[in-house]
Amino acid sequence: MSKKTKTAFICDQCGTDYPRWGGQCTSCGSWNTIKEVRLGTSAIERHSRKNGYAGSRSEVKLLSDVNLAQAERLSTGMSEFDRVLGGGIVTGSVVLIGGAPGAGKSTILLQAIANIAAQGIKVLYVSGEESLQQIAERAHRLKLPADKIMMLAETSVQSICDVLDDIQPQVLIIDSIQVMHTQEADSAPGSVSQVRESASYLTQYAKRHHVSIFMVGHVTKDQSLAGPMTLSHIVDTQVILASTDDARFRVLRADKNRFGSVGELGFFAMDSSGLKEVRNPSAMFLNRAEKPSSGSVVTVLWEGTRPLLVEIQALVTDCQYGNPRRLAVGFDQNRLAMLLAVLSRHGGIFTASDEIYANVVGGIKVTETSSDLAIVVGIVSSLKDKVIPHDVFFFGEMGLNGEIRPVANGYARLNDAAKHGFKKAVIPKANAPKKSIEGLEIHAVSTLSEALAVLSDI
């Protein structure tokens, strides 16, 4: 007597599991999206239940006995890409690269795989969306060597793995995971269950055969990657390629990385010959007007493992409709409200009847608190029409009691600003360096009132 096949009921839209079929998904509200999925019918899935995504079954051992050898890495030939990945491609890792249509995901991967193939490493590019002729035309336009890149047009993950067994490449590109399908899921390609099962199948293969895989994932209407974050827990690294306010530039950010730091940024410029690395990203974000203007302030952020100089602009204007607006673009709206409260209480500057707009120039997203002092100074500069010279910069975290708190990597931030020609710095007292930096005049402050006093003298 044959063993009964196990099944599960999964919503195609949100991925919620149910013990039985239902007409409406109670999680996302969609109708007729709950589908029956067979479980445990393939050898690789049976292996998955035993071993998990890691792909191998280990014996219990002491932590002190674990081998500390560094994972082997391959270079993409693009230092900015390698930086985001944590130093290169780890053998057997799975990387998910996402972004909006037209961001350049296929372009950057085609350039990277051409560089890898030039090193004598066997690579395979699997396309499920574009024809091989379209990819060949792109490679010709980008002037990439195409004689060592193997191509395959396929959407079945079982067929892809059969080809991998035959040619045994070290690096694999899947473009894209949304169009891939597995025989073990009955839903249509692109559904949550198909995307999840296909990614799981390929991840298992990568771990067992030490193949490095790049998967392209598209964002949905709500900016989720490849569905509602379905693949985040499966892959080793998740990176997002996005455009800045200037359409010529692209920013590659690591949202998850098991082999490197999260939040690392890589900068590229898009032109007719593809994506070019931007070795000095601070210059990209500091394309300022020749004449200084009020409300414009420069701060130094710390993104991943390096400093980044950006411009913050603030505008304070009279309220026209009786309900003043506070709008922040590029950083947290709630933090702007908190900084305005501190400015009112400890700085003696009241803005309750004014509309305030603050923007981080260049489309960069500020996720740390070192920009607090620069934001407050920009608001005061706009309110009092105080012009801040181009060679002055600010950084420091603002406390609720009006204190200026230190930030990490202060000395590296000062050094980077000095290399870019800045002459004056207003920073937290605790970040003041013991040794002076040539060409840089440092004003160390401990409270908001001290910072405003220095501002009036600049």
Side-chain angles (χ1 to χ4, degrees), residues 260-318:
S261 58
V262 176
E264 190 71 71
L265 295 181
F267 299 92
F268 301 88
M270 174 71 82
D271 59 19
S272 59
S273 59
L275 288 168
K276 304 295 183 183
E277 299 175 74
V278 177
R279 301 298 177 91
N280 184 13
S282 293
M284 183 175 79
F285 293 106
L286 285 180
N287 188 14
R288 310 173 73 187
E290 293 183 4
K291 184 179 179 180
S293 58
S294 60
S296 176
V297 184
V298 172
T299 189
V300 188
L301 305 177
W302 192 264
E303 293 291 345
T305 57
R306 64 180 170 187
L308 182 65
L309 287 156
V310 298
E311 179 187 358
I312 294 178
Q313 292 182 339
L315 175 63
V316 180
T317 183
D318 294 333

Short mmCIF file of all heavy atoms in Angstrom, two decimals, residues 260-318:
data_model
loop_
_atom_site.label_atom_id
_atom_site.label_comp_id
_atom_site.label_asym_id
_atom_site.label_seq_id
_atom_site.Cartn_x
_atom_site.Cartn_y
_atom_site.Cartn_z
N GLY A 260 29.02 39.48 5.99
CA GLY A 260 29.53 40.84 6.00
C GLY A 260 28.60 41.75 6.80
O GLY A 260 27.66 41.30 7.44
N SER A 261 28.89 43.04 6.75
CA SER A 261 28.12 44.00 7.53
C SER A 261 26.84 44.39 6.80
O SER A 261 26.81 44.52 5.58
CB SER A 261 28.97 45.25 7.81
OG SER A 261 29.39 45.84 6.61
N VAL A 262 25.78 44.60 7.58
CA VAL A 262 24.50 45.05 7.04
C VAL A 262 24.53 46.57 6.94
O VAL A 262 25.09 47.26 7.79
CB VAL A 262 23.35 44.59 7.94
CG1 VAL A 262 22.02 45.15 7.45
CG2 VAL A 262 23.30 43.07 8.00
N GLY A 263 23.90 47.12 5.91
CA GLY A 263 23.88 48.57 5.72
C GLY A 263 25.02 49.09 4.87
O GLY A 263 25.11 50.29 4.63
N GLU A 264 25.89 48.19 4.40
CA GLU A 264 26.98 48.62 3.53
C GLU A 264 26.42 49.15 2.21
O GLU A 264 25.46 48.60 1.67
CB GLU A 264 27.92 47.45 3.27
CG GLU A 264 29.21 47.83 2.58
CD GLU A 264 30.14 48.60 3.48
OE1 GLU A 264 30.71 48.02 4.41
OE2 GLU A 264 30.29 49.82 3.23
N LEU A 265 27.02 50.22 1.70
CA LEU A 265 26.55 50.84 0.46
C LEU A 265 27.62 50.76 -0.63
O LEU A 265 28.81 50.89 -0.35
CB LEU A 265 26.19 52.31 0.69
CG LEU A 265 25.02 52.62 1.61
CD1 LEU A 265 24.79 54.12 1.68
CD2 LEU A 265 23.76 51.92 1.16
N GLY A 266 27.17 50.54 -1.86
CA GLY A 266 28.02 50.63 -3.02
C GLY A 266 27.41 51.62 -4.00
O GLY A 266 26.19 51.65 -4.17
N PHE A 267 28.23 52.45 -4.64
CA PHE A 267 27.73 53.52 -5.49
C PHE A 267 28.20 53.31 -6.94
O PHE A 267 29.37 53.00 -7.18
CB PHE A 267 28.20 54.88 -4.97
CG PHE A 267 27.70 55.19 -3.58
CD1 PHE A 267 28.45 54.85 -2.47
CD2 PHE A 267 26.47 55.80 -3.40
CE1 PHE A 267 27.99 55.11 -1.19
CE2 PHE A 267 26.00 56.07 -2.13
CZ PHE A 267 26.76 55.73 -1.02
N PHE A 268 27.25 53.50 -7.85
CA PHE A 268 27.54 53.30 -9.28
C PHE A 268 26.92 54.43 -10.09
O PHE A 268 25.93 55.04 -9.68
CB PHE A 268 26.96 51.96 -9.76
CG PHE A 268 27.49 50.76 -9.04
CD1 PHE A 268 26.88 50.31 -7.87
CD2 PHE A 268 28.58 50.07 -9.52
CE1 PHE A 268 27.36 49.20 -7.19
CE2 PHE A 268 29.08 48.96 -8.84
CZ PHE A 268 28.47 48.53 -7.68
N ALA A 269 27.51 54.69 -11.23
CA ALA A 269 26.97 55.65 -12.19
C ALA A 269 26.57 54.90 -13.45
O ALA A 269 27.32 54.07 -13.95
CB ALA A 269 28.00 56.73 -12.52
N MET A 270 25.37 55.18 -13.95
CA MET A 270 24.86 54.49 -15.13
C MET A 270 25.11 55.33 -16.38
O MET A 270 24.77 56.53 -16.41
CB MET A 270 23.35 54.24 -14.97
CG MET A 270 22.69 53.64 -16.21
SD MET A 270 23.18 51.92 -16.51
CE MET A 270 22.04 51.07 -15.38
N ASP A 271 25.73 54.73 -17.38
CA ASP A 271 25.90 55.40 -18.66
C ASP A 271 25.71 54.38 -19.78
O ASP A 271 25.26 53.25 -19.53
CB ASP A 271 27.25 56.11 -18.76
CG ASP A 271 28.44 55.16 -18.59
OD1 ASP A 271 28.25 53.94 -18.75
OD2 ASP A 271 29.55 55.63 -18.29
N SER A 272 26.03 54.76 -21.00
CA SER A 272 25.78 53.88 -22.14
C SER A 272 26.62 52.60 -22.10
O SER A 272 26.27 51.61 -22.75
CB SER A 272 26.08 54.64 -23.44
OG SER A 272 27.43 55.10 -23.45
N SER A 273 27.70 52.61 -21.36
CA SER A 273 28.57 51.43 -21.27
C SER A 273 28.33 50.61 -20.01
O SER A 273 29.14 49.78 -19.64
CB SER A 273 30.04 51.87 -21.33
OG SER A 273 30.35 52.76 -20.27
N GLY A 274 27.21 50.87 -19.32
CA GLY A 274 26.86 50.08 -18.14
C GLY A 274 27.05 50.83 -16.85
O GLY A 274 27.08 52.07 -16.82
N LEU A 275 27.18 50.09 -15.77
CA LEU A 275 27.35 50.66 -14.44
C LEU A 275 28.84 50.82 -14.13
O LEU A 275 29.59 49.84 -14.18
CB LEU A 275 26.68 49.78 -13.38
CG LEU A 275 25.15 49.80 -13.37
CD1 LEU A 275 24.61 48.68 -12.50
CD2 LEU A 275 24.64 51.14 -12.87
N LYS A 276 29.23 52.03 -13.82
CA LYS A 276 30.61 52.33 -13.45
C LYS A 276 30.69 52.62 -11.96
O LYS A 276 29.80 53.27 -11.40
CB LYS A 276 31.13 53.53 -14.24
CG LYS A 276 31.03 53.38 -15.76
CD LYS A 276 31.92 52.26 -16.26
CE LYS A 276 31.87 52.17 -17.78
NZ LYS A 276 32.68 51.04 -18.29
N GLU A 277 31.76 52.16 -11.33
CA GLU A 277 31.92 52.40 -9.90
C GLU A 277 32.21 53.87 -9.61
O GLU A 277 32.93 54.52 -10.35
CB GLU A 277 33.07 51.54 -9.36
CG GLU A 277 32.86 50.05 -9.53
CD GLU A 277 34.08 49.27 -9.09
OE1 GLU A 277 34.29 49.18 -7.87
OE2 GLU A 277 34.82 48.78 -9.96
N VAL A 278 31.63 54.35 -8.51
CA VAL A 278 31.91 55.71 -8.02
C VAL A 278 32.83 55.55 -6.82
O VAL A 278 32.40 55.14 -5.74
CB VAL A 278 30.62 56.45 -7.63
CG1 VAL A 278 30.94 57.82 -7.06
CG2 VAL A 278 29.71 56.57 -8.85
N ARG A 279 34.10 55.85 -6.99
CA ARG A 279 35.08 55.62 -5.93
C ARG A 279 35.00 56.69 -4.84
O ARG A 279 35.43 56.46 -3.72
CB ARG A 279 36.49 55.61 -6.54
CG ARG A 279 36.69 54.55 -7.61
CD ARG A 279 36.49 53.15 -7.05
NE ARG A 279 36.62 52.12 -8.06
CZ ARG A 279 37.75 51.52 -8.36
NH1 ARG A 279 38.86 51.86 -7.73
NH2 ARG A 279 37.78 50.58 -9.29
N ASN A 280 34.46 57.87 -5.18
CA ASN A 280 34.35 58.95 -4.20
C ASN A 280 32.89 59.38 -4.10
O ASN A 280 32.48 60.40 -4.66
CB ASN A 280 35.23 60.14 -4.60
CG ASN A 280 35.22 61.25 -3.57
OD1 ASN A 280 34.76 61.06 -2.44
ND2 ASN A 280 35.71 62.41 -3.94
N PRO A 281 32.06 58.61 -3.37
CA PRO A 281 30.62 58.91 -3.33
C PRO A 281 30.29 60.24 -2.67
O PRO A 281 29.25 60.83 -2.96
CB PRO A 281 30.04 57.73 -2.54
CG PRO A 281 31.18 57.18 -1.76
CD PRO A 281 32.39 57.40 -2.59
N SER A 282 31.15 60.73 -1.77
CA SER A 282 30.87 62.00 -1.13
C SER A 282 30.78 63.13 -2.15
O SER A 282 29.95 64.03 -2.04
CB SER A 282 31.96 62.33 -0.09
OG SER A 282 31.93 61.41 0.99
N ALA A 283 31.62 63.08 -3.18
CA ALA A 283 31.57 64.10 -4.22
C ALA A 283 30.25 64.03 -4.98
O ALA A 283 29.76 65.05 -5.47
CB ALA A 283 32.75 63.92 -5.17
N MET A 284 29.67 62.84 -5.06
CA MET A 284 28.40 62.66 -5.76
C MET A 284 27.26 63.38 -5.03
O MET A 284 26.36 63.93 -5.65
CB MET A 284 28.09 61.16 -5.87
CG MET A 284 26.84 60.81 -6.64
SD MET A 284 26.66 59.03 -6.84
CE MET A 284 26.03 58.56 -5.24
N PHE A 285 27.31 63.38 -3.70
CA PHE A 285 26.23 63.99 -2.92
C PHE A 285 26.53 65.43 -2.52
O PHE A 285 25.72 66.06 -1.86
CB PHE A 285 25.98 63.16 -1.65
CG PHE A 285 25.43 61.79 -1.94
CD1 PHE A 285 26.23 60.67 -1.81
CD2 PHE A 285 24.12 61.62 -2.35
CE1 PHE A 285 25.73 59.41 -2.08
CE2 PHE A 285 23.60 60.37 -2.62
CZ PHE A 285 24.41 59.27 -2.48
N LEU A 286 27.69 65.95 -2.88
CA LEU A 286 28.05 67.33 -2.50
C LEU A 286 28.17 68.23 -3.71
O LEU A 286 29.01 69.11 -3.76
CB LEU A 286 29.36 67.33 -1.71
CG LEU A 286 29.28 66.83 -0.27
CD1 LEU A 286 30.65 66.89 0.38
CD2 LEU A 286 28.28 67.63 0.54
N ASN A 287 27.33 67.99 -4.69
CA ASN A 287 27.30 68.85 -5.87
C ASN A 287 26.45 70.08 -5.55
O ASN A 287 25.30 70.21 -5.95
CB ASN A 287 26.72 68.09 -7.06
CG ASN A 287 26.85 68.85 -8.36
OD1 ASN A 287 27.59 69.84 -8.44
ND2 ASN A 287 26.11 68.41 -9.36
N ARG A 288 27.06 71.03 -4.81
CA ARG A 288 26.31 72.16 -4.26
C ARG A 288 26.41 73.38 -5.16
O ARG A 288 27.29 73.49 -6.02
CB ARG A 288 26.84 72.50 -2.86
CG ARG A 288 26.95 71.29 -1.94
CD ARG A 288 27.63 71.63 -0.63
NE ARG A 288 26.76 72.42 0.22
CZ ARG A 288 27.18 72.96 1.38
NH1 ARG A 288 28.43 72.82 1.75
NH2 ARG A 288 26.35 73.65 2.11
N ALA A 289 25.49 74.33 -4.92
CA ALA A 289 25.53 75.59 -5.66
C ALA A 289 26.78 76.38 -5.28
O ALA A 289 27.30 76.25 -4.16
CB ALA A 289 24.28 76.41 -5.34
N GLU A 290 27.29 77.17 -6.22
CA GLU A 290 28.52 77.93 -5.96
C GLU A 290 28.32 78.94 -4.83
O GLU A 290 29.22 79.17 -4.02
CB GLU A 290 28.96 78.64 -7.23
CG GLU A 290 29.40 77.70 -8.35
CD GLU A 290 29.90 78.47 -9.56
OE1 GLU A 290 29.96 79.72 -9.48
OE2 GLU A 290 30.22 77.83 -10.57
N LYS A 291 27.14 79.55 -4.76
CA LYS A 291 26.87 80.55 -3.73
C LYS A 291 26.18 79.90 -2.54
O LYS A 291 25.13 79.28 -2.69
CB LYS A 291 26.00 81.68 -4.29
CG LYS A 291 25.76 82.81 -3.31
CD LYS A 291 24.91 83.89 -3.95
CE LYS A 291 24.64 85.03 -2.96
NZ LYS A 291 23.80 86.09 -3.56
N PRO A 292 26.74 79.99 -1.32
CA PRO A 292 26.09 79.40 -0.13
C PRO A 292 24.72 80.02 0.10
O PRO A 292 24.48 81.20 -0.19
CB PRO A 292 27.06 79.71 1.01
CG PRO A 292 28.36 80.03 0.34
CD PRO A 292 28.02 80.64 -0.98
N SER A 293 23.82 79.22 0.67
CA SER A 293 22.48 79.71 0.97
C SER A 293 22.07 79.24 2.36
O SER A 293 22.61 78.25 2.88
CB SER A 293 21.47 79.21 -0.07
OG SER A 293 21.48 77.80 -0.13
N SER A 294 21.13 79.91 2.95
CA SER A 294 20.67 79.56 4.29
C SER A 294 19.92 78.22 4.26
O SER A 294 19.28 77.88 3.26
CB SER A 294 19.76 80.65 4.85
OG SER A 294 18.62 80.82 4.01
N GLY A 295 20.01 77.48 5.34
CA GLY A 295 19.33 76.19 5.45
C GLY A 295 20.10 75.02 4.89
O GLY A 295 19.65 73.88 5.00
N SER A 296 21.27 75.27 4.28
CA SER A 296 22.07 74.20 3.69
C SER A 296 23.23 73.86 4.62
O SER A 296 24.05 74.72 4.94
CB SER A 296 22.60 74.63 2.32
OG SER A 296 23.46 73.64 1.79
N VAL A 297 23.30 72.59 5.05
CA VAL A 297 24.30 72.14 6.02
C VAL A 297 24.88 70.81 5.55
O VAL A 297 24.16 69.98 4.98
CB VAL A 297 23.69 71.97 7.43
CG1 VAL A 297 24.76 71.60 8.44
CG2 VAL A 297 22.96 73.22 7.87
N VAL A 298 26.16 70.59 5.82
CA VAL A 298 26.82 69.33 5.48
C VAL A 298 27.07 68.53 6.76
O VAL A 298 27.48 69.09 7.78
CB VAL A 298 28.15 69.58 4.74
CG1 VAL A 298 28.93 68.28 4.56
CG2 VAL A 298 27.89 70.22 3.38
N THR A 299 26.81 67.24 6.69
CA THR A 299 27.12 66.34 7.79
C THR A 299 27.88 65.14 7.27
O THR A 299 27.96 64.92 6.05
CB THR A 299 25.83 65.89 8.51
OG1 THR A 299 26.18 65.18 9.71
CG2 THR A 299 24.99 64.98 7.62
N VAL A 300 28.45 64.35 8.18
CA VAL A 300 29.22 63.16 7.80
C VAL A 300 28.52 61.94 8.39
O VAL A 300 28.47 61.78 9.62
CB VAL A 300 30.68 63.23 8.31
CG1 VAL A 300 31.49 62.08 7.72
CG2 VAL A 300 31.30 64.56 7.94
N LEU A 301 27.97 61.11 7.54
CA LEU A 301 27.33 59.87 7.97
C LEU A 301 28.35 58.74 7.97
O LEU A 301 29.44 58.85 7.41
CB LEU A 301 26.19 59.51 7.02
CG LEU A 301 25.11 60.57 6.79
CD1 LEU A 301 24.10 60.08 5.77
CD2 LEU A 301 24.42 60.95 8.09
N TRP A 302 27.99 57.64 8.62
CA TRP A 302 28.82 56.44 8.58
C TRP A 302 27.98 55.32 8.00
O TRP A 302 27.05 54.83 8.63
CB TRP A 302 29.33 56.07 9.97
CG TRP A 302 30.39 55.01 9.92
CD1 TRP A 302 30.22 53.66 10.08
CD2 TRP A 302 31.79 55.20 9.67
NE1 TRP A 302 31.42 53.01 9.93
CE2 TRP A 302 32.41 53.93 9.69
CE3 TRP A 302 32.57 56.32 9.42
CZ2 TRP A 302 33.76 53.75 9.47
CZ3 TRP A 302 33.92 56.14 9.20
CH2 TRP A 302 34.51 54.87 9.24
N GLU A 303 28.29 54.95 6.76
CA GLU A 303 27.52 53.93 6.06
C GLU A 303 28.38 52.69 5.88
O GLU A 303 29.34 52.68 5.12
CB GLU A 303 27.08 54.45 4.69
CG GLU A 303 26.07 55.58 4.74
CD GLU A 303 24.71 55.13 5.25
OE1 GLU A 303 24.48 53.90 5.28
OE2 GLU A 303 23.90 55.99 5.61
N GLY A 304 28.01 51.63 6.62
CA GLY A 304 28.76 50.38 6.53
C GLY A 304 30.13 50.50 7.15
O GLY A 304 30.28 50.47 8.37
N THR A 305 31.17 50.65 6.31
CA THR A 305 32.54 50.70 6.82
C THR A 305 33.27 51.97 6.40
O THR A 305 34.49 52.03 6.47
CB THR A 305 33.33 49.47 6.31
OG1 THR A 305 33.31 49.45 4.87
CG2 THR A 305 32.73 48.18 6.84
N ARG A 306 32.54 52.98 5.94
CA ARG A 306 33.21 54.20 5.49
C ARG A 306 32.34 55.42 5.74
O ARG A 306 31.11 55.32 5.84
CB ARG A 306 33.53 54.10 3.99
CG ARG A 306 32.31 54.02 3.09
CD ARG A 306 32.71 53.92 1.64
NE ARG A 306 31.57 53.61 0.79
CZ ARG A 306 31.67 53.33 -0.50
NH1 ARG A 306 32.86 53.34 -1.07
NH2 ARG A 306 30.61 53.06 -1.22
N PRO A 307 32.96 56.61 5.84
CA PRO A 307 32.21 57.85 6.02
C PRO A 307 31.62 58.33 4.70
O PRO A 307 32.12 57.99 3.62
CB PRO A 307 33.26 58.84 6.55
CG PRO A 307 34.56 58.32 6.02
CD PRO A 307 34.41 56.82 5.92
N LEU A 308 30.56 59.13 4.81
CA LEU A 308 29.89 59.65 3.63
C LEU A 308 29.40 61.07 3.92
O LEU A 308 28.62 61.29 4.84
CB LEU A 308 28.70 58.75 3.25
CG LEU A 308 27.90 59.14 2.01
CD1 LEU A 308 28.78 59.02 0.77
CD2 LEU A 308 26.66 58.27 1.88
N LEU A 309 29.90 62.02 3.14
CA LEU A 309 29.50 63.42 3.28
C LEU A 309 28.23 63.67 2.49
O LEU A 309 28.17 63.37 1.29
CB LEU A 309 30.61 64.33 2.79
CG LEU A 309 31.85 64.45 3.69
CD1 LEU A 309 33.06 64.87 2.90
CD2 LEU A 309 31.60 65.43 4.82
N VAL A 310 27.20 64.21 3.16
CA VAL A 310 25.94 64.52 2.48
C VAL A 310 25.48 65.91 2.90
O VAL A 310 25.86 66.43 3.96
CB VAL A 310 24.84 63.48 2.81
CG1 VAL A 310 25.23 62.10 2.34
CG2 VAL A 310 24.52 63.47 4.29
N GLU A 311 24.63 66.49 2.06
CA GLU A 311 24.06 67.81 2.33
C GLU A 311 22.63 67.66 2.83
O GLU A 311 21.85 66.88 2.27
CB GLU A 311 24.08 68.66 1.07
CG GLU A 311 23.47 70.05 1.26
CD GLU A 311 23.34 70.81 -0.04
OE1 GLU A 311 23.76 70.26 -1.09
OE2 GLU A 311 22.82 71.94 -0.01
N ILE A 312 22.31 68.37 3.89
CA ILE A 312 20.95 68.42 4.42
C ILE A 312 20.41 69.83 4.24
O ILE A 312 21.07 70.80 4.61
CB ILE A 312 20.92 68.01 5.90
CG1 ILE A 312 21.30 66.54 6.05
CG2 ILE A 312 19.53 68.26 6.51
CD1 ILE A 312 21.34 66.05 7.46
N GLN A 313 19.22 69.93 3.67
CA GLN A 313 18.60 71.23 3.45
C GLN A 313 17.34 71.35 4.30
O GLN A 313 16.58 70.39 4.44
CB GLN A 313 18.24 71.42 1.97
CG GLN A 313 19.44 71.55 1.07
CD GLN A 313 19.05 71.77 -0.38
OE1 GLN A 313 17.93 71.46 -0.78
NE2 GLN A 313 19.97 72.29 -1.17
N ALA A 314 17.15 72.53 4.89
CA ALA A 314 15.97 72.81 5.70
C ALA A 314 15.32 74.10 5.22
O ALA A 314 16.01 75.03 4.78
CB ALA A 314 16.34 72.92 7.17
N LEU A 315 14.02 74.14 5.29
CA LEU A 315 13.27 75.33 4.90
C LEU A 315 12.21 75.61 5.97
O LEU A 315 11.38 74.73 6.26
CB LEU A 315 12.60 75.13 3.54
CG LEU A 315 11.67 76.25 3.07
CD1 LEU A 315 12.45 77.54 2.87
CD2 LEU A 315 10.94 75.86 1.78
N VAL A 316 12.27 76.80 6.54
CA VAL A 316 11.28 77.25 7.52
C VAL A 316 10.51 78.41 6.91
O VAL A 316 11.11 79.40 6.49
CB VAL A 316 11.96 77.68 8.83
CG1 VAL A 316 10.90 78.14 9.85
CG2 VAL A 316 12.79 76.55 9.40
N THR A 317 9.20 78.29 6.85
CA THR A 317 8.37 79.32 6.24
C THR A 317 7.10 79.52 7.04
O THR A 317 6.72 78.67 7.86
CB THR A 317 8.00 78.92 4.78
OG1 THR A 317 7.26 79.97 4.18
CG2 THR A 317 7.20 77.63 4.75
N ASP A 318 6.45 80.65 6.84
CA ASP A 318 5.22 80.96 7.57
C ASP A 318 4.11 79.99 7.18
O ASP A 318 3.99 79.57 6.02
CB ASP A 318 4.76 82.40 7.27
CG ASP A 318 5.75 83.43 7.80
OD1 ASP A 318 6.44 83.12 8.78
OD2 ASP A 318 5.81 84.53 7.23
#
